[in-house]
Amino acid sequence: MTQRLHFIERLGLVLVALATLATLWLGRVDVTWGVLIGWLLGVVNFYALRRLMGGIMQAGNPPRQIALTLLLLVKFGLLGLVLYLVLTHFPIDPLSMLVGVSLVVVAIFIEGARSVLAAGGATGEIDQTPTDRPRTD
């Protein structure tokens, strides 16, 4: 799992580098800043989700799980507030910021597709064992 997360992070860096170079070619600073700020928000959100969900999914400590769930809700509120402040107070292109945020999602999608293909998804050989087999004991 950690290997996949590191791949997603590295791929995200490559994608933002390519997107940044493309926006610099356009010559519009607002588009470049939009991609960079959007990507930064996407990375911070991904990291926070990874940490919070990892803690929530650990069994055995319900008070901690509840606290982390509440913190997750606070995180979403803070992310919305930051998005609002960035869009209303900085001269950036909103569409390019959406592209920047989406780069993390694209990296996750690529890693998911890569994992499925590596597991035999391209040949249809993924485990197709029926789950409703009759018990033999």
Side-chain angles (χ1 to χ4, degrees):
M1 183 61 136
T2 303
Q3 215 174 20
R4 288 182 177 160
L5 294 174
H6 290 303
F7 178 82
I8 291 168
E9 291 166 352
R10 287 191 310 270
L11 182 58
L13 285 172
V14 170
L15 291 174
V16 75
L18 292 173
T20 301
L21 288 173
T23 61
L24 288 172
W25 181 74
L26 290 174
R28 289 189 46 200
V29 177
D30 63 328
V31 173
T32 302
W33 278 112
V35 168
L36 290 173
I37 290 172
W39 174 76
L40 182 63
L41 290 173
V43 167
V44 169
N45 184 51
F46 178 68
Y47 178 76
L49 277 173
R50 186 173 91 182
R51 300 275 306 186
L52 290 170
M53 291 306 295
I56 291 169
M57 299 306 287
Q58 290 178 350
N61 192 350
R64 182 171 186 262
Q65 290 171 315
I66 292 170
L68 289 174
T69 303
L70 293 174
L71 190 57
L72 183 66
L73 295 174
V74 170
K75 181 206 70 79
F76 282 123
L78 288 174
L79 181 63
L81 178 64
V82 169
L83 283 171
Y84 170 78
L85 292 173
V86 166
L87 289 172
T88 58
H89 291 81
F90 292 96
I92 63 168
D93 180 56
L95 187 59
S96 63
M97 190 172 89
L98 179 62
V99 168
V101 168
S102 299
L103 291 175
V104 176
V105 176
V106 170
I108 293 168
F109 177 79
I110 290 172
E111 170 53 20
R114 192 175 76 102
S115 297
V116 167
L117 292 175
T123 61
E125 296 178 13
I126 296 177
D127 182 21
Q128 298 175 1
T129 307
T131 57
D132 56 348
R133 284 186 288 177
R135 293 181 63 161
T136 58
D137 45 36

